[in-house]
Amino acid sequence: MLISLNRMHLIDVCVLLEVEGNISRGLSPDTETRILVDFHGSAVLAGSEYAILSHCWDVPEKGEKEVHFKELKKLTTMKPHKRDEIRKRGGYHKILDTCRRADKDGLRWAWVDSCCINRESSSELSEAINSMFRWYENSRLCYVYLQDVEGTLPTESNKEKFPESGGWPKWFSRGWTLQELVAPRTVHFFDQGWKFIGNKQELADTLKAITRIPRSVLKDGIGSPRPCAAQILSWAADRRTTRVEDIAYSLLGLLDVNMPMLYGEGKEAFQRLQEEIIRRFNDHSIFAWDPDGKDLRTTSVLADGPSHFRGCHNIKRVEFDEFVRELKEVIVEEELCQARLQMFSVTNGGIQIWLPLTPYHNCPSIFKATLACRRYGALVTIDLAPWKTKYYRYCGASGTLKSCPMIQQVFLAHQDDVHDNVNFELDDRTIAYYGFSYCSSFPPGVTNDSVTLTRSNPLTVVMYNRDSAHFAVVFGWCFGQEWVHVKSGMYMKEHGHSCESYVMEIYHQAWNMGAEHAHLMADAHSGKSLFYVKHIHLPQSIWAVKIICGAWKKSRRSTVTVDVSHCTGFCHDSLKWRGLKLATNDHDMPGLMSTHWFPGSSSLSVGGMQVEFLHAHQEIQLGDYGYWNQGRQYLEHEGNIFEKLKSLAARLGVDPIDVAYVPIRQRVIDTDMESDVVLSLPNNQHMVLLLKALSTSLPSRYLVTRVVQSSPHHSRHQGEFSEWPDCLTTEAVFIHYCPAFGLAK
């Protein structure tokens, strides 16, 4: 009888015990003695039965050390002081105790992972990892050493005693020990003093409670029929490995797949593992992760790690003939084809598969897909949404489904476009002009006028209200695409809602919006505009909300301006974005304004940014406004906003001599103009509301937002100038909140 084991290094139990005995008695070991014996080829005689150790590796940071391959192999030939150091290690004592136990059990050979794999050889390490499940499976006895257990195996979780391993002994929290529990037929458990606790069959009920592995698997092995992929992966949901890649590599044998080791690939290893499962098995359960819908994000159809399969321990695979019979109850028989349904593959365009898809009534761009696996007796379903050429896993949708599913061929996204966090800079300063104010947000993550979305928190709702009117701005991230929308409705008090409960209600409704509004935002950004505007009328009111969203920068940041204006209700499509070709909302500008570049302008460095200035050929002051005469390059002066402020002070309820209106003074960062001073309009709430008040009567005017005050005897370059004339910035057009936001076309 032959057992396939590939290349394997085994410890000669009798030799190691003899060597240790001689050294302990002060005798020198025989240098010709071989402690590790190499078995080459594809087989080991069945008569060469061996014991195998399952344990948790010692932690070097705690001063603990294992014994490695070359150290054990050269134990008899190395210098005495080095040998003595090795013999003092906890790892060496585990090897000795394993051999003593094996000797008592009548076994000549033993295998311990720390010292029986030459990890300096990448090919041998890869071969060992792919063979390890079989090595444990073919062992005569497996010894489980629980270094943090004394006496008996605990039957209840104790987080005070085992705080770093989920309340159970450390061995149950490690990734590699999962296959070491399942693969061997005979497993003996020992406590920290190598006192026998019990075997796997005797402890099956306790082990099932700790690991969620069925008693049948613990008693009889993984066998045939093998549990579905989702169930096996659920056993590893709470386990960890030192190296990220090992959480995937430690599952190869359990899932009956092979793949090369690529240390350094990180989380890609688990993705490759899932792809190998798809290539080898027709198992829909690989898509059934997160069955309770706790992971509220849009992502590829493959999970990030085993933790996403938590809750899948009761999922069972459905054979495809049974799957087809059940689908006949809701799908026309002519559309069903078992051969088509049971075949899917990984391609460079995604995972090609045929699935029954049923659209939602209230969000037709989201589909519920039915899988050939069961949980609690019912077929498992997942939500999918199309983006470009692929379908993505979608979470959070709710509502009723259309009556009949359709069998469709789709390409499922199996790779995520990973992005950093997305940041929206929120400018809502003008809403106070008409009495609106911030009410609440959910999740409560709006800080310093900034909204941050992450992969795990891709949605935020910010709510504003005024008496009987309210609206919410929804910020979302879907398919790697950012989106913004306004949700409005009847005032919350009429329905007995508090502000906080209402914003949460909108938050849950907003999950149905993501797919549609991500598409709308992507379509808008396909143009050449720098800013995009959306106009939304508030029902049963005289108000409209205007959202201006800036094009995304490389830093994954965008400014979103929120404004309220009067509206008759006869307005355009509230879902569509319109492009604004000329606009700016820099931090130093009081709100959104249009940019107009003039020929002959000069670029100066002010406050760390480049600003274009135009030579003034007339007397000009900060805050002057009027129409621009393009032919004469001349501002047709109509007035000054600081003069207007005096007449509007009572209406705005402000003091015209408030320091908030004092211009900002900055130096020109230019070696030739170091003595020159730039005066700029302040960028604060007071100035923004002043511009808002003026916008209704003075649309499309040009505004002087900066002037340069120069020294009367300033020289520039090599030529002498009696005076560098005052300049006006060309950055802003007055004003930005009227029809088309007052922006010059």
Side-chain angles (χ1 to χ4, degrees), residues 14-26:
C14 295
V15 168
L16 179 58
L17 293 178
E18 182 181 352
V19 167
E20 175 60 25
N22 288 336
I23 296 173
S24 299
R25 292 191 296 270

Side-chain angles (χ1 to χ4, degrees), residues 8-311:
M8 195 174 186
H9 308 290
L10 291 175
I11 302 170
D12 190 320
V13 170
C14 295
V15 168
L16 179 58
L17 293 178
E18 182 181 352
V19 167
E20 175 60 25
N22 288 336
I23 296 173
S24 299
R25 292 191 296 270
L27 302 176
S28 298
D30 184 352
T31 57
E32 299 298 321
T33 301
R34 289 198 306 163
I35 296 174
L36 282 173
V37 180
D38 301 340
F39 289 86
H40 295 279
S42 61
V44 176
L45 287 175
S48 302
E49 294 181 330
Y50 58 92
I52 200 164
L53 177 66
S54 176
H55 66 116
C56 295
W57 278 42
D58 290 336
V59 182
E61 292 79 7
K62 296 182 179 180
E64 305 166 344
K65 293 184 70 175
E66 297 288 346
V67 178
H68 301 296
F69 175 76
K70 285 189 175 180
E71 292 174 323
L72 189 63
K73 191 168 187 178
K74 297 180 179 180
L75 188 69
T76 59
T77 60
M78 64 178 54
K79 294 181 178 181
H81 74 276
K82 175 63 176 175
R83 183 166 54 238
D84 290 341
E85 184 274 322
I86 290 174
R87 292 175 60 238
K88 292 177 182 178
R89 297 180 191 174
Y92 181 76
H93 288 284
K94 278 190 290 186
I95 297 170
L96 273 183
D97 289 330
T98 299
C99 290
R100 288 169 181 147
R101 189 74 241 179
D103 187 50
K104 287 182 180 179
D105 291 327
L107 299 174
R108 179 182 174 184
W109 305 101
W111 189 90
V112 180
D113 57 356
S114 58
C115 61
C116 293
I117 301 173
N118 183 7
R119 285 176 166 76
E120 294 182 6
S121 169
S122 59
S123 61
E124 180 172 332
L125 178 61
S126 181
E127 181 182 346
I129 289 175
N130 278 284
S131 305
M132 202 171 294
F133 183 87
R134 294 197 305 275
W135 290 352
Y136 276 89
E137 185 179 41
N138 292 327
S139 65
R140 174 67 180 81
L141 281 171
C142 175
Y143 303 138
V144 173
Y145 176 64
L146 305 175
Q147 83 275 22
D148 53 358
V149 173
E150 184 177 2
T152 60
L153 193 66
T155 56
E156 294 182 357
S157 175
N158 187 337
K159 292 187 178 180
E160 291 185 5
K161 187 174 182 180
F162 308 108
E164 298 179 359
S165 51
W168 298 103
K170 182 180 178 181
W171 187 85
F172 292 100
S173 70
R174 306 309 297 169
W176 288 104
T177 58
L178 175 59
Q179 68 174 358
E180 296 164 11
L181 170 63
V182 174
R185 182 167 185 82
T186 305
V187 180
H188 289 180
F189 289 83
F190 296 88
D191 72 358
Q192 58 189 224
W194 281 89
K195 177 184 175 182
F196 180 67
I197 298 174
N199 63 45
K200 182 166 66 169
Q201 284 71 21
E202 295 169 346
L203 300 170
D205 290 335
T206 300
L207 295 174
K208 177 179 181 293
I210 298 172
T211 65
R212 299 186 297 274
I213 300 173
R215 293 178 78 258
S216 58
V217 173
L218 293 168
K219 284 180 171 291
D220 304 319
I222 202 161
S224 181
R226 182 178 292 268
C228 68
Q231 184 180 154
I232 294 174
L233 289 167
S234 76
W235 303 340
D238 298 313
R239 293 176 179 260
R240 301 292 180 266
T241 56
T242 302
R243 302 193 67 166
V244 175
E245 298 87 351
D246 282 342
I247 198 64
Y249 302 159
S250 64
L251 294 167
L252 292 176
L254 284 164
L255 294 160
D256 197 21
V257 296
N258 295 93
M259 67 184 199
M261 309 300 105
L262 298 173
Y263 281 106
E265 66 176 325
K267 292 183 178 180
E268 291 295 315
F270 191 75
Q271 178 170 308
R272 284 201 299 127
L273 173 66
Q274 294 171 91
E275 292 171 357
E276 288 300 322
I277 294 170
I278 293 169
R279 291 186 180 99
R280 182 162 167 74
F281 304 103
N282 297 327
D283 187 352
H284 278 191
S285 76
I286 195 65
F287 308 122
W289 51 273
D290 187 31
D292 298 315
K294 295 179 180 179
D295 186 14
L296 295 177
R297 62 190 175 115
T298 302
T299 181
S300 82
V301 295
L302 300 184
D304 289 345
S307 61
H308 291 280
F309 287 89
R310 188 180 291 108

Side-chain angles (χ1 to χ4, degrees), residues 541-556:
S541 76
I542 60 171
W543 312 110
V545 180
K546 294 176 181 178
I547 300 290
I548 308 96
C549 186
W552 291 97
K553 305 172 184 177
K554 292 182 180 180
S555 61
R556 308 292 295 171

Side-chain angles (χ1 to χ4, degrees), residues 485-486 517 534-537 571-577:
H485 185 58
V486 171
H517 288 291
K534 182 188 288 189
H535 174 108
I536 304 94
H537 181 79
C571 41
H572 43 75
D573 192 342
S574 63
L575 294 179
K576 291 184 178 180
W577 291 91

